[in-house]
Amino acid sequence: MYYLNDNVYIVRGAKHICIYDFNRCHVIQCTSDFADIIDSIINEKCNLVLENYNKNKINILIKTGILVTKETGNKGDIKSIAKHSVINCAWIELTNQCNMQCIHCYDEACIYNRNELSLEDFKYVIDELYNFGIQSIQLIGGEPLIVKDFKRMLSYASKKMRQVSVFTNASLITEDVCELFASLNTSVAVSVYSYNEKDHDYVTKINGSFIATTKGLKLLSSYGIKYRVANVRMNGVDVGVKNTNLFSLDKGDIVRIAGRANAKLLNRELIRTKLITEKTFLRGLKKDFCSRVVSFHNCFGRRLYISADMNVYPCVMERRLCHGNLKGNHLKNILKNQIFMLNKDKIDVCNKCEFRYACFDCRPNALTGNVLEKPWYCTYDPYNGTWEEPNKAVERIVNDLNLEN
């Protein structure tokens, strides 16, 4: 008598299946008859299994530990590991005004924008987040240091929140700002695009921005303030060679097609790196991640973004979906469950893919207005059970995006 091992689950696609083996941290793609074998064993039709199925396949399942002789009670339904969504952090946009105008900005921020969160509204937002149980926030822009009430906002937030960070281009950091950060134990995130002044300024469209930003980083360092540097990789921008101890650009996020960014900021190398391929799923399978994406969207189910006009979005880059406006409302009354639950079960084509619960989803990184579109960088066709060869996929995408014209 055989049983399905604990921590092993079966996910069917349009043509094939995947076995999610959390004991070995693997996701294994198989033909659908393996699922039929497992289903028969779960339903205690063992004689039928031995008579009708290839014994070699049964032996494979036994040798790999998918099937065991000890009764487990596991029925292989991956939905059984589902969990409730818990919003644990939020971004708060203080303004969409910025002293820079980066070519890829998701907020399309610039010096001429005028949306700004008042101190009164900011306190209301903080109180609502606190009452909802959110204890971690990041203050963003635009450029948050432009806001005249920034110091009072940060001080108020620090009294309520367990963790407060600030995302800035660092060009407006002064010793007074550093003293405030240090006194409130505020962490900082800073955008830097290259080790080279010319390339960094090309992205920001402001001459001298690299010098101003590195000056800000030096001040943060001198005050012992904890900071990290974020980098975005884009076509036409040379990251350069490390020439400073202030920051490291070893890990960069490939530009996402949102806001001011467009496909022209991509190139073959970036597209190839971005591709979802068969190798994507050779990395260790994490049960905690899978349990989240079984239950809700990997990002939308855990985070919120409050814009300067008090609209509540699921992500700083996703403006096609909105929970509602917080002004005069309570957060708990405007949140929409259908946004939290927008996982791969709801996405076109992905909902027929056996890899869907092992695949990270970024809705804002889209080429069309269709919020349910399959990721443009995925190379798998679940209907045929085939992977597009990566080089061919790159050339197809380059052609589709008209990148060489």
Side-chain angles (χ1 to χ4, degrees):
M1 196 74 168
Y2 293 103
Y3 305 92
L4 185 63
N5 202 356
D6 280 330
N7 284 317
V8 175
Y9 302 91
I10 312 303
V11 178
R12 289 183 180 267
K15 186 173 180 65
H16 296 317
I17 70 157
C18 273
I19 298 174
Y20 289 57
D21 182 357
F22 295 113
N23 296 314
R24 297 191 301 161
C25 301
H26 290 323
V27 58
I28 308 157
Q29 187 183 36
C30 307
T31 52
S32 59
D33 54 347
F34 277 93
D36 296 336
I37 293 171
I38 293 170
D39 283 345
S40 295
I41 288 174
I42 289 173
N43 293 315
E44 299 181 357
K45 298 177 180 176
C46 290
N47 291 333
L48 184 64
V49 171
L50 295 173
E51 292 174 3
N52 295 346
Y53 293 107
N54 185 319
K55 290 184 180 180
N56 287 334
K57 291 184 176 180
I58 297 173
N59 287 332
I60 290 172
L61 293 172
I62 295 170
K63 288 180 179 179
T64 55
I66 304 302
L67 297 180
V68 294
T69 55
K70 182 179 179 181
E71 186 170 0
T72 63
N74 180 20
K75 298 297 183 182
D77 181 7
I78 200 167
K79 294 296 180 72
S80 66
I81 67 172
K83 58 170 64 174
H84 294 295
S85 64
V86 177
I87 305 297
N88 53 26
C89 64
W91 299 277
I92 304 175
E93 179 191 70
L94 303 187
T95 179
N96 66 349
Q97 187 180 33
C98 187
N99 58 331
M100 299 183 189
Q101 44 190 0
C102 297
I103 58 178
H104 67 295
C105 181
Y106 62 83
D107 201 22
E108 301 188 57
C110 69
I111 197 64
Y112 304 107
N113 291 347
R114 288 293 181 267
N115 279 350
E116 185 174 304
L117 200 59
S118 69
L119 179 59
E120 180 183 1
D121 285 341
F122 176 81
K123 289 181 177 180
Y124 183 82
V125 169
I126 293 296
D127 291 347
E128 280 297 306
L129 294 175
Y130 176 81
N131 292 335
F132 193 76
I134 295 173
Q135 282 285 292
S136 178
I137 63 168
Q138 184 173 73
L139 306 183
I140 64 173
E143 173 48 54
L145 293 180
I146 282 180
V147 178
K148 65 180 186 302
D149 284 322
F150 171 77
K151 292 182 180 179
R152 284 191 281 179
M153 289 175 167
L154 181 60
S155 296
Y156 187 82
S158 297
K159 293 176 183 177
K160 294 267 187 167
M161 296 290 155
R162 184 180 67 253
Q163 183 176 1
V164 180
S165 64
V166 176
F167 204 114
T168 172
N169 59 44
S171 66
L172 302 179
I173 287 179
T174 62
E175 292 203 15
D176 286 346
V177 171
C178 287
E179 288 174 0
L180 180 68
F181 287 162
S183 68
L184 298 176
N185 195 31
T186 304
S187 61
V188 180
V190 180
S191 295
V192 182
Y193 303 106
S194 174
Y195 295 113
N196 306 321
E197 178 179 345
K198 179 181 177 181
D199 286 275
H200 179 90
D201 290 2
Y202 166 77
V203 175
T204 66
K205 294 302 180 186
I206 301 295
N207 291 333
S209 63
F210 180 82
I211 294 173
T213 291
T214 52
K215 180 181 178 182
L217 289 172
K218 288 176 182 177
L219 278 172
L220 291 173
S221 179
S222 69
Y223 275 80
I225 294 164
K226 183 179 179 180
Y227 69 87
R228 66 178 179 86
V229 167
N231 174 256
V232 178
R233 304 296 170 94
M234 291 171 273
N235 182 39
V237 180
D238 181 12
V239 174
V241 178
K242 185 173 173 63
N243 54 15
T244 178
N245 292 324
L246 283 174
F247 58 87
S248 176
L249 303 180
D250 291 341
K251 295 181 180 179
D253 188 22
I254 296 172
V255 64
R256 306 183 197 197
I257 309 306
R260 198 179 283 146
N262 59 55
K264 298 297 182 182
L265 293 179
L266 293 168
N267 56 34
R268 281 181 170 81
E269 180 184 355
L270 294 174
I271 292 170
R272 183 174 287 105
T273 302
K274 187 68 179 175
L275 291 180
I276 297 172
T277 69
E278 196 168 9
K279 291 183 179 179
T280 301
F281 302 100
L282 295 179
R283 297 191 291 266
L285 185 69
K286 296 182 179 179
K287 187 174 183 178
D288 182 62
F289 172 78
C290 293
S291 66
R292 291 202 307 269
V293 298
V294 163
S295 317
F296 46 83
H297 188 272
N298 42 242
C299 293
F300 299 173
R302 298 189 298 154
R303 299 166 185 164
L304 295 175
Y305 162 55
I306 297 94
S307 65
D309 57 10
M310 296 185 73
N311 277 334
V312 181
Y313 299 101
C315 170
V316 295
M317 297 184 188
E318 183 55 81
R319 308 299 178 95
R320 296 171 298 176
L321 299 169
C322 182
H323 287 284
N325 192 277
L326 191 53
K327 193 172 183 67
N329 293 312
H330 292 300
L331 184 61
K332 64 181 181 180
N333 294 335
I334 65 173
L335 297 181
K336 297 176 180 176
N337 195 54
Q338 61 266 37
I339 294 179
F340 295 147
M341 303 297 289
L342 192 62
N343 65 358
K344 288 291 181 75
D345 287 332
K346 313 295 192 309
I347 305 306
D348 295 340
V349 184
C350 296
N351 55 12
K352 301 298 182 183
C353 178
E354 59 272 24
F355 291 97
R356 61 188 178 274
Y357 301 128
C359 190
F360 184 86
D361 184 61
C362 182
R363 286 296 88 205
N365 194 7
L367 299 177
T368 74
N370 176 16
V371 76
L372 300 180
E373 71 172 277
K374 173 190 174 183
W376 56 268
Y377 42 89
C378 179
T379 65
Y380 185 58
D381 178 357
Y383 296 101
N384 294 320
T386 56
W387 293 93
E388 186 177 13
E389 197 276 323
N391 288 332
K392 290 183 179 179
V394 169
E395 294 308 312
R396 172 183 57 78
I397 293 170
V398 166
N399 183 64
D400 289 346
L401 298 181
N402 198 27
L403 294 185
E404 295 188 325
N405 294 334

